Amino acid sequence: MVHRILWISLSLLISYGAAYAQTTGTLQGKVVDGSNEEGLAFANVVLMQEGTFIKGVATDFDGNYNFSNLNVGTYDIEVSYVGYSKLNMINVRVGAGDVIRKDLHLTDSLMGPTATVESDPFVLPVIPTSDRITGEEAMRSPVSDVEDIVASTIAGANAQDAGEALSTNASRTDANVTMVDGERSYGSIALNPSDIEEIQIITNSVPVEFGDGSGSFTNYITKSPSNKFRGYVAGETSQFLDPFGRNVVQAAFSGPILMKPVLDYKGDVVMDGDKPKKYTVFGYRLSGEFNTTKDSRPSALGSYQLTESKRAEIMENPLILSPTGEGSVLATDFITQDDL
């Protein structure tokens, strides 16, 4: 029998900056004079993402700065101080539960212009996790279902078949707990890879706030609305290429609804050329998926049926005399290749 499966999912994520448990991280460090390692008080430290202002702070008397409750993502740090060259540290990754420390060394302004440095990967994990998958890695995965991405990436996580429930740590599938942005979820996850900022998989040393599970805890952390309008469309097909006949189309759109201008420490609007810099305080993400499958479990040996004549013969005489002459046996026990 040929099965046809049609699945349509649509999710609308509207964000206003709410932070759920275990979906944020912390970025902290110290701004110092590169020549003597002394902390610089009241240096301006600005956090940027995709060229858009996120937060800004001034260092304390010892040169320390701290950004807490940051959404999971990748940031750039811009540091400025009177008499010193500006410093930009790019690609600072903040994961769920991470405490990232980045000390920033400034040099005398006479030594050169703005310096740009790449962030190193050093992370102090507050939540012990077995692994995590970033949004970029999810987008590069050869599979499109987010649960299949986990099964194909994380050691110890597997599914009996594509699209089926995960099993980890040798536990039953119902022992695993699935969350979206820190909130427990039941049933399949209606997300496509473009929605994912990070997938956090906890298999040991589980924090007390999760609890109530003996397998793994998978936390799908979704992206915040973009500061600029962005669109994503992707598709794949195996129609006419294999017996599964699978077709998938995914689409996602994101952008701001309400934006506010960025203010400096004096309360003045920060300009970007002749336009004010703005950040998103209310935005949207709209994503959906459409897929069909011709046969979810095609046979490796093909499908066979009885010839009409053999079928009529068996229907008329389902029991026949045993070859030994003792009693009756099922006529179907003596079907041969020529009868199919």
Side-chain angles (χ1 to χ4, degrees), residues 74 93 133-141 193 196-197 223:
T74 301
R93 178 73 189 178
I133 303 168
T134 65
E136 292 80 5
E137 291 170 336
M139 289 291 289
R140 292 197 299 266
S141 175
I196 299 300
E197 184 64 58
K223 291 180 178 178

Side-chain angles (χ1 to χ4, degrees), residues 205-237:
S205 301
V206 178
V208 67
E209 60 265 32
F210 289 104
D212 193 26
S214 58
S216 67
F217 294 77
T218 305
N219 191 11
Y220 295 91
I221 301 169
T222 60
K223 291 180 178 178
S224 299
S226 174
N227 291 305
K228 300 177 182 179
F229 175 79
R230 297 182 183 276
Y232 160 84
V233 178
E236 64 180 55
T237 182

